Amino acid sequence: MEKDKYQNLLYNKENYYEKTEESEREKIFDFAEGYKKFLNICKTERECTNFAISKAKERGFSEYHFGDKLAKGDKKYFINRDKGVSLIKIGNRDIEKEGLRIIVAHIDSPRIDLKQVPLFESDGFCYLKTHYYGGIKKYQWTTIPLSLHGVIIKKNGEKVNINIGESESDPVFYISDLLPHLSRTQMAGKANEIINGEQLNVIIGGVPLKDAKADKIKINILKILNDKYGITEEDFVSSELCVVPAMRARDVGIDRAFIGGYGHDDKSCAYPCLEAMLDVDNEITSICIWVDKEEIGSEGNTGMKSKVFEDLIDEICYALGCNPRQVRGRSICLSCDVDGCYDPNFPNVFEKKNTALISCGACMTKFTGSGGKSDSSDASAETVYKIRKLLDKNGVTWQTSELGKVDQGGGGTVAKFISQLNIDTIDIGLPVISMHSPYELISKADLYSMYRVGFEFLR
Ligand code: MN
Ligand code: MN
């Protein structure tokens, strides 16, 4: 009893499932159903962008271009090169006084891209040469069913969308690994050399075309592709294709507590952010940004480093007759990205008190980076407090987190690029088990907590 008396002096994380009433638990499980459907049809940034556009249109949003007029009550979406999309809501309140509410998540996930001259044939197989995208453990991507996604721009300028391997009747693709019987040398090597980058060759076929003179399997593949899409080998040069796990998102656990799936990083944040943006009927002017290229450092004109996001904010301000510098300085942004979850199977790399625990809610990360916090924007105590107050006031289950032990490794998010625009920015997202693997794991409780974070922030 003496212990309880002092309980309120302590910071404790609580399991969200344990805290919830039956009605809230139902909401948690219902929300997960929509998310799984999204995950199954949105494996690339282009597919995510299309999804967000169609969802936004259903809710009365219309397309916005730089220079367009904006007025209170407008609901708009801005497309960046089909690989990112921002939803914009113009509220009633004065943004020069109150700033914007910005919520960001990335829609690219680690995967295996095709090279620009991918096809080659060897000893009964036709393969695709690849170049992996993002930080992957290469050996994890062998011996699993893979699907092919992306676009090819043909010689005549026509754009062909490719999506093979997701429907039950489709074939899938495959990267081989060595049989254990002959793996003595392989298994004695370093894990990052078990499969090297040039070994990530994807099997695409094996039937030779009888009347071809050489490369009979490759010619047959090209003939099939030509019959179906009208493409030639040269057209791969202007293509953007990748292979991703062909596996569907599934409930994990007999109690269905978890979801296994490809791309929880960062679609488990992107989806709840979008849903919150669509559901909130707000007075505040807000932007929900789905951004590309986070996994390779937020580079290029579709990544968070791009000037396009500063331009977007500026354009909104000009359209509303406001000073963008004043608005940015008073804005606040949630950089919604996943964090490493404490894994009892690998306790040594985590410092448990400061690591996100599964099912304890969305995790707020004051700083990311590595070593001495390098490459982190390190949100201020004031910014942390603003969000802490907001979430606590509204009864949202959340927790604080840091990625693993000091000097064990590290990682970054888009937060630092947004904060450079003079916007208070803080990371918050889901704890993920087996991050960057072909089949990651999250908790449904954390997913719903993220939705509640987004909803209360934008409300
Ligand atoms: Mn991420
Ligand atoms: Mn990542």
Side-chain angles (χ1 to χ4, degrees):
M1 276 305 156
E2 197 66 11
K3 194 181 157 209
D4 285 342
K5 191 172 153 190
Y6 298 111
Q7 202 56 39
N8 62 353
L9 293 175
L10 302 170
Y11 172 66
N12 282 313
K13 297 182 179 184
E14 287 176 287
N15 188 299
Y16 188 12
Y17 282 126
E18 195 180 329
K19 276 173 75 176
T20 50
E21 305 287 326
E22 194 57 43
S23 62
E24 189 154 15
R25 202 172 284 195
E26 260 172 45
K27 285 184 195 162
I28 291 172
F29 281 85
D30 284 351
F31 192 79
E33 293 306 307
Y35 174 64
K36 283 184 286 175
K37 283 187 195 130
F38 160 73
L39 213 54
N40 288 336
I41 56 171
C42 293
K43 296 198 172 179
T44 66
E45 59 275 6
R46 286 177 192 268
E47 290 162 355
C48 287
T49 299
N50 287 337
F51 177 89
I53 293 168
S54 66
K55 276 270 191 177
K57 277 182 180 167
E58 278 171 26
R59 303 284 189 100
F61 284 70
S62 59
E63 191 171 359
Y64 168 78
H65 300 94
F66 285 175
D68 286 357
K69 289 200 173 84
L70 290 172
K72 283 171 187 172
D74 275 356
K75 298 196 287 184
K76 297 282 175 184
Y77 60 87
F78 173 76
I79 308 166
N80 186 9
R81 296 169 171 85
D82 297 339
K83 296 165 74 157
V85 59
S86 302
L87 270 59
I88 305 150
K89 273 186 185 174
I90 309 298
N92 289 318
R93 297 203 211 146
D94 184 354
I95 58 169
E96 271 184 355
K97 283 204 186 103
E98 299 190 31
L100 302 161
R101 295 277 170 103
I102 304 165
I103 189 163
V104 183
H106 70 89
I107 48 173
D108 62 319
S109 298
R111 61 176 190 240
I112 299 177
D113 284 346
L114 300 198
K115 292 192 184 189
Q116 299 321 114
V117 186
L119 282 164
F120 76 100
E121 176 175 337
S122 183
D123 306 284
F125 296 102
C126 185
Y127 292 99
L128 296 163
K129 292 295 300 176
T130 67
H131 196 137
Y132 64 98
Y133 173 98
I136 61 167
K137 289 179 167 181
K138 294 183 276 284
Y139 66 84
Q140 291 181 331
W141 294 70
T142 63
T143 66
I144 58 169
L146 298 165
S147 54
L148 183 66
H149 295 241
V151 294
I152 303 175
I153 319 290
K154 296 200 293 191
K155 201 168 196 165
N156 64 7
E158 189 194 331
K159 187 191 276 189
V160 182
N161 283 303
I162 306 284
N163 184 319
I164 309 167
E166 295 298 340
S167 127
E168 273 304 307
S169 57
D170 278 356
V172 293
F173 307 94
Y174 188 83
I175 300 171
S176 66
D177 193 3
L178 203 49
L179 63 168
H181 317 67
L182 297 176
S183 295
R184 195 173 293 165
T185 310
Q186 185 199 36
M187 296 304 282
K190 288 182 188 160
N192 62 0
E193 291 161 2
I194 288 175
I195 297 289
N196 68 47
E198 289 294 346
Q199 282 175 316
L200 290 174
N201 295 317
V202 177
I203 294 172
I204 186 178
V207 178
L209 189 69
K210 268 187 187 163
D211 57 354
K213 288 215 168 72
D215 283 344
K216 292 183 176 187
I217 302 172
K218 177 178 157 177
I219 296 286
N220 194 37
I221 298 289
L222 281 168
K223 192 174 171 299
I224 293 168
L225 292 174
N226 188 266
D227 289 346
K228 187 158 184 201
Y229 304 108
I231 57 165
T232 66
E233 189 178 17
E234 197 183 343
D235 290 327
F236 280 99
V237 171
S238 49
S239 74
E240 215 166 64
L241 294 163
C242 64
V243 291
V244 296
M247 300 172 286
R248 299 178 76 73
R250 308 276 297 263
D251 288 347
V252 175
I254 200 136
D255 56 4
R256 300 178 180 269
F258 310 113
I259 305 169
Y262 164 69
H264 288 322
D265 178 6
D266 187 30
K267 291 162 188 113
S268 65
C269 292
Y271 180 80
C273 289
L274 179 80
E275 288 293 311
M277 183 73 174
L278 295 171
D279 287 349
V280 165
D281 200 11
N282 54 353
E283 294 288 294
I284 304 158
T285 299
S286 53
I287 312 174
C288 171
I289 300 173
W290 274 14
V291 67
D292 179 31
K293 292 284 181 280
E294 194 280 338
E295 295 296 351
I296 60 164
S298 299
E299 307 291 349
N301 56 13
T302 58
M304 201 69 229
K305 282 184 190 170
S306 168
K307 188 96 166 48
V308 70
F309 300 103
E310 189 181 345
D311 289 348
L312 178 62
I313 294 170
D314 287 3
E315 287 289 326
I316 292 169
C317 292
Y318 295 143
L320 298 172
C322 299
N323 175 350
R325 291 182 185 88
Q326 209 165 324
V327 172
R328 283 205 304 272
R330 288 174 182 167
S331 296
I332 186 159
C333 173
L334 295 186
S335 158
C336 302
D337 204 346
V338 298
D339 202 351
C341 181
Y342 179 78
D343 187 338
N345 252 342
F346 303 94
N348 294 340
V349 301
F350 299 103
E351 189 269 287
K352 200 172 176 182
K353 283 201 84 59
N354 285 285
T355 298
L357 303 179
I358 197 78
S359 302
C360 290
C363 51
M364 184 152 49
T365 310
K366 186 178 180 294
F367 54 86
T368 58
S370 59
K373 296 193 181 181
S374 69
D375 279 326
S376 165
S377 52
D378 201 358
S380 68
E382 289 84 350
T383 305
V384 174
Y385 175 72
K386 270 184 207 163
I387 303 303
R388 174 190 172 190
K389 187 174 132 192
L390 179 87
L391 299 181
D392 289 349
K393 191 179 82 185
N394 293 293
V396 179
T397 300
W398 66 281
Q399 57 181 323
T400 183
S401 70
E402 181 182 340
L403 180 59
K405 277 183 179 171
V406 178
D407 288 339
Q408 190 62 233
T413 66
V414 299
K416 62 175 179 171
F417 308 114
I418 304 159
S419 60
Q420 281 167 8
L421 301 175
N422 188 26
I423 296 171
D424 284 332
T425 307
I426 176 105
D427 278 303
I428 189 160
L430 264 78
V432 172
I433 292 280
S434 313
M435 198 196 292
H436 285 200
S437 75
Y439 211 67
E440 303 170 321
L441 189 89
I442 58 160
S443 160
K444 290 179 184 176
D446 298 332
L447 181 75
Y448 189 65
S449 160
M450 189 64 224
Y451 168 75
R452 294 226 42 220
V453 168
F455 189 87
E456 297 303 340
F457 177 72
L458 296 170
R459 191 157 71 106

